Amino acid sequence: MPRVPHVEMNEGPAPASRYWRRTRQLTLVLLVLWLVLCLLATFFARAIDFTFFGWRFSFWFGAQGMLLAFLAIVVVYVLAMQRLEREAAAAASEAPPSTPEPMPPS
């Protein structure tokens, strides 16, 4: 019966799992921000009523401001993901290649 090589479990999470955990966290935070912006803009639209470039601010924010906010969230996501990918590539190039231990003869 072949023996299974021993693997240390206290080495910490693998770089790939760290990358995906951080990616999910970033996505979740930005989605919550988007949801909060949409809900708050809708809920407080009448309360923030003043003139802005000749239009009521609530109308402008609903028509244009939310698009700009959404684009800002997308830009933040792109920049953060580029940084995460650079860090993951650097960690992968620094990590020594994992070579399996030779199996002892049975």
Side-chain angles (χ1 to χ4, degrees):
M1 176 182 282
R3 293 178 46 155
V4 177
H6 177 68
V7 177
E8 291 293 327
M9 299 305 277
N10 58 0
E11 294 177 5
S17 66
R18 249 190 328 257
Y19 170 80
W20 286 111
R21 187 185 66 231
R22 290 175 69 186
T23 300
R24 284 191 307 266
Q25 288 173 346
L26 173 67
T27 303
L28 180 65
V29 166
L30 292 177
L31 281 174
V32 167
L33 177 65
W34 174 67
L35 178 68
V36 167
L37 279 174
C38 288
L39 291 177
L40 288 178
T42 304
F43 188 73
F44 291 112
R46 290 190 179 149
I48 53 174
D49 193 21
F50 58 89
T51 304
F52 185 74
F53 291 117
W55 297 89
R56 289 191 342 242
F57 183 74
S58 57
F59 174 77
W60 180 86
F61 191 69
Q64 303 298 326
M66 288 308 299
L67 290 173
L68 295 175
F70 179 69
L71 286 175
I73 289 172
V74 170
V75 167
V76 167
Y77 179 78
V78 167
L79 294 175
M81 284 305 299
Q82 286 176 348
R83 183 176 51 87
L84 280 175
E85 288 175 1
R86 278 194 309 270
E87 290 174 3
S93 67
E94 291 174 359
S98 61
T99 57
E101 296 178 14
M103 301 282 286
S106 35

